[in-house]
Amino acid sequence: MGATNRVCGSRIGQQIAAPPQHILEQSETKMCKIGQLVWTDDGRAFRYCYNGGVALTANKLVVPATAVGQINLAVAAATVIGDKKISVTSGAVVVADQYQNGLLTDYANGDGSLLIAGNDAETTGAAAFWVRLNDGIYTAQTTSSVVNVSQNPCWGTLISVTDQADVPVGVPLIDVTLNYYYWAQVLGNCHVLCDNTTLAQGDNCTTSAATAGAVGAVDADTEPIVGIMCEAGVSTKYMLVRLMIG
């Protein structure tokens, strides 16, 4: 493993072990948690993603899947404070651990955002399924309660489209097969496809309104910032961007 791709980091002053999947590898089997963040020793950061749309191309921007969760789901069984799982009635087919590292909250009252450890599969699209939580519930739920279950944006990623309506996830550095797991770069210098707009060095860039998977010029406050151009953009070429996705 080259030094520039060596994963490192610190938590309370301690070294974090390198993940089992290299940042330049894809895997048919999930090796890390969805959304997990790692750093390389040159200051770049990557998040662990699942490709659920189409085959991905290296150095093109990806965004979350169209369906990012379910809202207003009925609680199927009452809970008590401290419970670390909750049964909810689904409105769609759910894959096992689809909501891992996503968030759950009370639809009506808020009551915080609880990190999801995982979930069971639900194959009918209309039955109850279990959602497992990292921490215990601190507001008891009844069968009259309703909750929101939100996916981590790194699940089911797609190449960005030109409507500029999506939140950027990151940039894979390799081609990724459909239904495989991979790392997407979210911070630091990265080569990214540019569209046909004029981008000067130092300009902010956003998801392109002209070319799928590309970055383009920011022309409205409502457009998400992907990063800062480290060099002038060239149409249909891969130029250096300092990613600021996080």
Side-chain angles (χ1 to χ4, degrees):
M1 186 184 300
T4 57
N5 290 321
R6 186 170 60 246
V7 174
C8 64
S10 61
R11 182 182 292 121
I12 317 179
Q14 296 181 343
Q15 189 79 2
I16 298 174
Q21 183 178 331
H22 192 273
I23 61 171
L24 298 180
E25 294 175 343
Q26 60 175 343
S27 174
E28 191 173 9
T29 303
K30 184 172 67 174
M31 307 291 286
C32 304
K33 290 184 177 181
I34 297 298
Q36 180 176 335
L37 180 69
V38 297
W39 296 83
T40 60
D41 55 5
D42 64 320
R44 293 173 295 156
F46 296 77
R47 288 196 182 274
Y48 198 65
C49 300
Y50 171 67
N51 175 24
V54 297
L56 304 179
T57 304
N59 299 94
K60 289 187 177 181
L61 185 68
V62 298
V63 297
T66 303
V68 295
Q70 300 187 62
I71 64 171
N72 198 20
L73 298 184
V75 173
T79 66
V80 298
I81 294 172
D83 281 352
K84 288 192 173 183
K85 65 178 183 177
I86 182 171
S87 179
V88 299
T89 302
S90 185
V93 171
V94 175
V95 177
D97 288 341
Q98 176 176 338
Y99 295 114
Q100 184 185 66
N101 275 11
L103 298 170
L104 180 143
T105 193
D106 186 296
Y107 177 67
N109 302 310
D111 290 335
S113 294
L114 295 171
L115 186 65
I116 297 171
N119 62 271
D120 294 342
E122 199 292 287
T123 59
T124 71
F129 71 103
W130 286 102
V131 177
R132 300 180 300 279
L133 304 170
N134 274 40
D135 300 298
I137 292 170
Y138 48 85
T139 300
Q141 304 286 324
T142 72
T143 52
S144 297
S145 301
V146 288
V147 297
N148 293 350
V149 181
S150 302
Q151 284 178 195
N152 189 291
C154 295
W155 174 273
T157 54
L158 310 165
I159 292 286
S160 66
V161 294
T162 56
D163 62 7
Q164 296 183 308
D166 300 299
V167 177
V169 168
V171 179
L173 302 187
I174 58 171
D175 295 344
V176 183
T177 306
L178 176 63
N179 297 328
Y180 274 58
Y181 297 87
Y182 69 99
W183 294 99
Q185 187 173 340
V186 297
L187 291 170
N189 290 352
C190 179
H191 290 96
V192 187
L193 179 66
C194 290
D195 68 11
N196 57 3
T197 59
T198 300
L199 284 164
Q201 183 178 13
D203 282 353
N204 286 339
C205 59
T206 186
T207 51
S208 171
T211 305
V215 294
V218 178
D219 53 24
D221 291 340
T222 56
E223 295 169 0
I225 300 299
V226 172
I228 302 171
M229 297 300 299
C230 295
E231 54 195 6
V234 178
S235 176
T236 70
K237 305 302 180 185
Y238 293 84
M239 309 306 294
L240 193 63
V241 177
R242 190 163 188 81
L243 295 177
M244 301 174 62
I245 299 170

